[in-house]
């Protein structure tokens, strides 16, 4: 099958600073740059830095939901962004049970989540191997901050690890982006006469050519 590249993927990009994107920093139960959701977590749920699985470095963030009544997750600190710009969130996910949902959320200057078109999401559910989770979304015109969320809802049980988080801002210079096209193909001379299907040709009694459709 053919693969397609979005305009944002083809454009130049710059990385946005994220604190502790690989979860290599931790201590005294804290995860620098990240918060548990909720804090404290409910019974039979947990969010911890773990060395059990790691895509890069020594650690990843392990999220466990063994409760069918409570939800659990983690969220980044508020990240300053540019209004109306397009952003691409990338993460590696290793799901050992069920799934984990990733969000890219946008907030206004009061750090209130923007209701309409202020949240983008993707579900990671590839089991027992590292897979890519990618979200592309445009920040609303009144957005000032963004947050990255990893979330498991109530009603099911899940276990997953996430690692190697990055956020990129797409740089569009006057609407022009670098796009690679395939090699050209010569299709011959342009057609100079109308083409029709199902036509019949004959001559009348005077020898004039006639065409019937």
């Amino acid at each position: 099958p053919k693969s397609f590249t979005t305009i944002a993927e083809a454009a130049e990009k710059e990385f946005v600073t994220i604190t502790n994107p690989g979860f290599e920093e931790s201590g005294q139960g804290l995860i620098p740059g990240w918060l548990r959701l909720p804090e404290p977590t409910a019974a039979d749920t947990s969010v911890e830095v773990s060395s059990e699985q790691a895509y890069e470095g020594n650690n990843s963030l392990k999220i466990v939901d063994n409760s069918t009544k409570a939800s659990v997750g983690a969220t980044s600190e508020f990240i300053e962004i540019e209004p109306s710009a397009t952003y691409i969130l990338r993460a590696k996910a290793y799901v050992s049970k069920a799934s984990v949902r990733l969000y890219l959320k946008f907030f206004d200057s009061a750090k209130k989540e923007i209701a309409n078109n202020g949240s983008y999401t993707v579900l990671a559910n590839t089991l027992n191997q590292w897979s890519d989770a990618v979200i592309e979304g445009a920040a609303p015109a009144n957005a000032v901050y963004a947050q990255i969320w990893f979330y498991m809802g109530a009603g099911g049980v899940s276990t997953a690890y996430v690692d190697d988080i990055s956020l990129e801002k797409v740089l569009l210079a006057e609407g022009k982006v670098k796009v690679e096209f395939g090699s050209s193909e010569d299709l011959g001379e342009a057609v100079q006469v109308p083409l029709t299907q199902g036509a019949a040709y004959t001559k009348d009694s005077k020898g004039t050519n006639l065409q019937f459709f």
Side-chain angles (χ1 to χ4, degrees):
K2 294 182 178 179
S3 60
F4 297 90
T5 300
T6 66
I7 291 177
E9 284 281 7
E12 296 290 336
K13 294 174 284 291
E14 67 177 17
F15 284 99
V16 179
T17 300
I18 300 173
T19 301
N20 199 17
F23 307 102
E24 298 302 308
E25 303 174 34
S26 64
Q28 299 181 341
L30 301 177
I31 309 170
W34 301 85
L35 298 172
R36 295 173 177 86
L37 186 71
E39 180 67 80
T41 56
D44 298 321
T45 68
S46 63
V47 178
E48 302 292 343
V49 170
S50 171
S51 60
E52 295 173 359
Q53 299 287 347
Y55 178 81
E56 188 175 66
N58 298 314
N59 300 327
S60 64
L61 186 68
K62 182 181 182 180
I63 307 172
V64 177
D65 181 6
N66 286 327
S67 171
T68 58
K69 297 180 181 179
S71 59
V72 66
T75 176
S76 71
E77 61 188 11
F78 285 101
I79 303 166
E80 292 188 8
I81 55 91
E82 178 184 328
S84 301
T86 296
Y87 289 86
I88 300 177
L89 168 63
R90 305 180 195 273
K92 297 293 184 178
Y94 187 105
V95 180
S96 55
K97 185 188 297 181
S99 62
V100 61
R101 185 168 287 279
L102 285 68
Y103 290 88
L104 176 60
K105 293 176 176 280
F106 293 103
F107 299 79
D108 62 19
S109 59
K111 297 182 177 178
K112 180 180 179 181
E113 184 178 351
I114 299 172
N116 296 322
N117 300 320
S119 179
Y120 299 85
T121 185
V122 66
L123 183 71
N125 58 4
T126 300
L127 294 177
N128 301 318
Q129 64 181 3
W130 288 103
S131 63
D132 294 307
V134 181
I135 299 175
E136 179 183 319
N142 60 330
V144 178
Y145 302 100
Q147 276 190 330
I148 300 164
W149 287 38
F150 308 108
Y151 184 76
M152 296 173 178
V157 294
S158 303
T159 300
Y161 306 80
V162 291
D163 198 5
D164 195 27
I165 316 304
S166 68
L167 183 64
E168 298 168 286
K169 182 177 74 171
V170 177
L171 304 177
L172 295 178
E174 298 180 356
K176 297 180 180 180
V177 299
K178 294 181 179 179
V179 180
E180 294 185 0
F181 296 93
S183 58
S184 61
E185 181 180 353
D186 187 353
L187 299 178
E189 293 292 330
V191 175
Q192 302 295 323
V193 296
L195 298 179
T196 61
Q197 294 181 341
Y201 301 87
T202 187
K203 292 184 179 182
D204 62 13
S205 59
K206 298 181 180 180
T208 303
N209 293 322
L210 301 176
Q211 183 179 10
F212 299 92
F213 302 95

